[in-house]
Amino acid sequence: MGDGWRTVDVARAAGVSVQAVRLYAGHGVLGDVPRSPNGYRAWTARHADLALAYRALAAGYGGDVARRVLRAVHAGDLRGAFAALDAQHAAWHAERQRLDRLERALAELAEDDRDAGAVAAGASDGTTMTVGEVADALGVRTSALRVWEDAGLLHPVRDARTGHRRYSDADVRDARAVQLLRSTGALLDAIRPVVDALRAHADVAALRAAVDRRRDVLDAVARARVAGLARLHGVLPPP
């Protein structure tokens, strides 16, 4: 076809609509598009390659990142383009690490009933523990237990006579769950549904399945990113 490409030719080659090609050009992801003497855009095969690269990058990194990367490429800022990609890879790697920590935490929580029972055996009355006893047993500060309670993650009862908090075996189990999940970097709002699920199901099978599903998502995105990088490599200037 040579360099006499029309807008519709670029659209067909990229598998998108003519309007999408115009939007890509408006977003700056196709680089310079010179005009012919009659005023029409003078497209080339490179613009089709850039449209394909944008689509592939957007599938793996999202439109915002894809636009940022390709604009940087057109501006001659390859270092900036690579930095934008590296930031996404670092964030995804960090999530994989969080999932690994969460899986280890869930493995420990699978034995939580046994652990909580062993800890509760040291309570002064054999059935409930004070806030100080739970804090000592778990190796956390009493203030942390109070913060978790204020966030709705723990529900200790109050002693009718003294008004002091008393923690049952189930409360200790919940505190242990919060402690482990906090160690993965999870925020309190993210921990709440996990603790609720543990209370409802008394096991972690469903939570482990959710971790596996999230890993599947990460793997699928990683595959899309590899495809996007391959397309990007094809439109980069030579080193």
Side-chain angles (χ1 to χ4, degrees):
M1 184 181 294
D3 286 345
W5 287 56
R6 301 166 299 169
T7 306
V8 67
D9 298 323
V10 176
R12 286 171 179 164
V16 297
S17 67
V18 168
Q19 181 60 28
V21 172
R22 293 181 178 133
L23 286 174
Y24 295 172
H27 288 315
V29 300
L30 302 184
D32 293 332
V33 186
R35 296 278 181 172
S36 64
N38 59 11
Y40 290 105
R41 287 188 172 98
W43 301 98
T44 67
R46 174 169 171 77
H47 295 114
D49 290 339
L50 285 164
L52 287 167
Y54 173 71
R55 289 192 66 197
L57 286 170
Y61 296 90
D64 288 344
V65 174
R67 288 188 288 272
R68 193 182 320 143
V69 168
L70 286 173
R71 287 169 185 162
V73 169
H74 298 317
D77 182 18
L78 292 186
R79 186 170 295 169
F82 296 151
L85 294 169
D86 288 345
Q88 296 298 307
H89 297 157
W92 229 236
H93 179 61
E95 181 165 1
R96 285 189 185 277
Q97 291 180 316
R98 284 194 294 272
L99 288 174
D100 289 342
R101 292 193 297 268
L102 177 56
E103 186 171 52
R104 290 193 293 270
L106 292 176
E108 292 189 50
L109 289 175
E111 301 179 1
D112 188 72
D113 285 340
R114 185 194 69 185
D115 294 341
V119 171
S124 57
D125 61 5
T127 56
T128 62
M129 302 175 70
T130 67
V131 64
E133 288 169 338
V134 176
D136 288 343
L138 298 182
V140 301
R141 295 183 177 183
T142 57
S143 58
L145 294 172
R146 294 188 178 100
V147 168
W148 299 345
E149 180 182 349
D150 290 341
L153 301 174
L154 303 179
H155 303 284
V157 299
R158 296 279 183 164
D159 186 282
R161 183 175 57 85
T162 66
H164 295 162
R165 295 172 176 82
R166 303 296 298 187
Y167 292 77
S168 67
D169 289 359
D171 295 325
V172 175
R173 179 205 62 199
D174 291 347
R176 172 69 169 156
V178 175
Q179 177 194 29
L180 287 169
L181 294 169
R182 284 291 289 158
S183 73
T184 71
L187 300 178
L188 295 181
D189 285 345
I191 290 173
R192 185 175 296 106
V194 177
V195 175
D196 289 344
L198 286 172
R199 291 193 187 108
H201 303 294
D203 63 50
V204 297
L207 301 176
R208 281 176 165 169
V211 169
D212 287 340
R213 288 194 298 272
R214 183 57 183 168
R215 282 205 175 103
D216 289 341
V217 170
L218 294 182
D219 291 344
V221 171
R223 183 178 292 273
R225 287 183 169 182
V226 170
L229 292 175
R231 286 286 185 183
L232 175 64
H233 184 267
V235 299
L236 291 179

